[in-house]
Amino acid sequence: MTVKLVVLYTHPDDAGAFDEHYAGTHRPLVDKIPGLQRTETGKVGAAIDGGEKTYYRITELYFADNAALQAGFGSEEGTATAADYQKIAPAGSRMFVVPVDD
Amino acid sequence: MTVKLVVLYTHPDDAGAFDEHYAGTHRPLVDKIPGLQRTETGKVGAAIDGGEKTYYRITELYFADNAALQAGFGSEEGTATAADYQKIAPAGSRMFVVPVDD
């Protein structure tokens, strides 16, 4: 069963600096995580429920299963990515593991 | 550019009733929305940031572009889906439009 890590980034104080860090440093680290099958990411365009645009960017990392996800983040590359996440993620950003329904 | 509607459902008071409504009523309505290319959904397994497991289920609806998404939700089937969302979505559920990066 495919498992994904869903990352909800809140709004950075400096969007330009965030975008540069994300594309130039963070994404290349993500791409090296062993077992990563696919990444899907995009900036939030609008909240269409009348609420706040709480999140700035939503990123999903896909793995074959939960064991692959755990192994990926247990690796040296995964540890480096997690360390960089601590630098880039604005306060209130969230991270969830979601097994994808068939 | 692919555009998706990301729906973050908070925890229902009665998970069994939510699951039944979601699978038996809501999902069939979603599946009829014109222009819908794909649906991806899954129950949140864990928050791995040490925070609350704020959301119960995350669903994404994919469209070819923003015009297709707008047309889909402007249709009779889209209106019916939106009306049913008001019935099923627990308070605090969120809905965002996200253009997917290439």
Side-chain angles (χ1 to χ4, degrees), chain B residues 53-71:
Chain B
K53 210 177 95 173
T54 313
Y55 303 111
Y56 177 72
R57 176 177 283 280
I58 298 179
T59 297
E60 295 171 292
L61 310 185
Y62 292 77
F63 294 85
D65 52 31
N66 196 50
L69 185 151
Q70 298 300 333

Side-chain angles (χ1 to χ4, degrees), chain A residues 43-49 51-53 55, chain B residues 5 94-99:
Chain A
K43 283 188 189 175
V44 175
I48 60 162
D49 53 9
E52 276 184 43
K53 209 177 94 172
Y55 303 111
Chain B
L5 180 71
R94 301 301 314 275
M95 216 164 8
F96 300 100
V97 173
V98 180

Side-chain angles (χ1 to χ4, degrees), chain A residues 2-78:
Chain A
T2 297
V3 172
K4 61 184 180 181
L5 180 70
V6 180
V7 186
L8 308 173
Y9 291 101
T10 55
H11 290 269
D13 290 334
D14 181 339
F18 176 93
D19 290 349
E20 193 179 321
H21 186 161
Y22 186 82
T25 302
H26 193 69
R27 183 63 193 271
L29 288 169
V30 167
D31 289 343
K32 287 179 194 155
I33 299 173
L36 178 71
Q37 292 185 321
R38 191 167 74 82
T39 298
E40 186 171 290
T41 185
K43 283 188 189 175
V44 175
I48 60 162
D49 53 9
E52 276 184 43
K53 209 177 94 172
T54 312
Y55 303 111
Y56 177 70
R57 177 177 282 280
I58 297 179
T59 298
E60 295 171 291
L61 310 184
Y62 292 78
F63 294 84
D65 53 29
N66 196 50
L69 185 150
Q70 298 299 333
F73 281 95
S75 70
E76 192 178 326
E77 296 87 347

Side-chain angles (χ1 to χ4, degrees), chain B residues 10-22 43 56 88 90:
Chain B
T10 54
H11 290 271
D13 291 332
D14 181 340
F18 176 94
D19 291 349
E20 195 178 320
H21 186 162
Y22 186 82
K43 282 187 190 176
Y56 177 72
I88 193 177

Side-chain angles (χ1 to χ4, degrees), chain B:
Chain B
M1 181 194 259
T2 297
V3 172
K4 61 184 179 181
L5 180 71
V6 180
V7 186
L8 309 173
Y9 291 101
T10 54
H11 290 271
D13 291 332
D14 181 340
F18 176 94
D19 291 349
E20 195 178 320
H21 186 162
Y22 186 82
T25 303
H26 193 68
R27 183 64 192 271
L29 288 169
V30 167
D31 289 342
K32 286 181 195 155
I33 298 173
L36 178 71
Q37 292 185 321
R38 192 167 73 81
T39 298
E40 186 171 289
T41 185
K43 282 187 190 176
V44 176
I48 60 164
D49 54 9
E52 276 185 44
K53 210 177 95 173
T54 313
Y55 303 111
Y56 177 72
R57 176 177 283 280
I58 298 179
T59 297
E60 295 171 292
L61 310 185
Y62 292 77
F63 294 85
D65 52 31
N66 196 50
L69 185 151
Q70 298 300 333
F73 281 96
S75 70
E76 193 179 328
E77 295 87 346
T79 305
T81 303
D84 191 62
Y85 172 82
Q86 297 300 330
K87 292 181 195 166
I88 193 177
S93 296
R94 301 301 314 275
M95 216 164 8
F96 300 100
V97 173
V98 180
V100 179
D101 291 358
D102 289 331

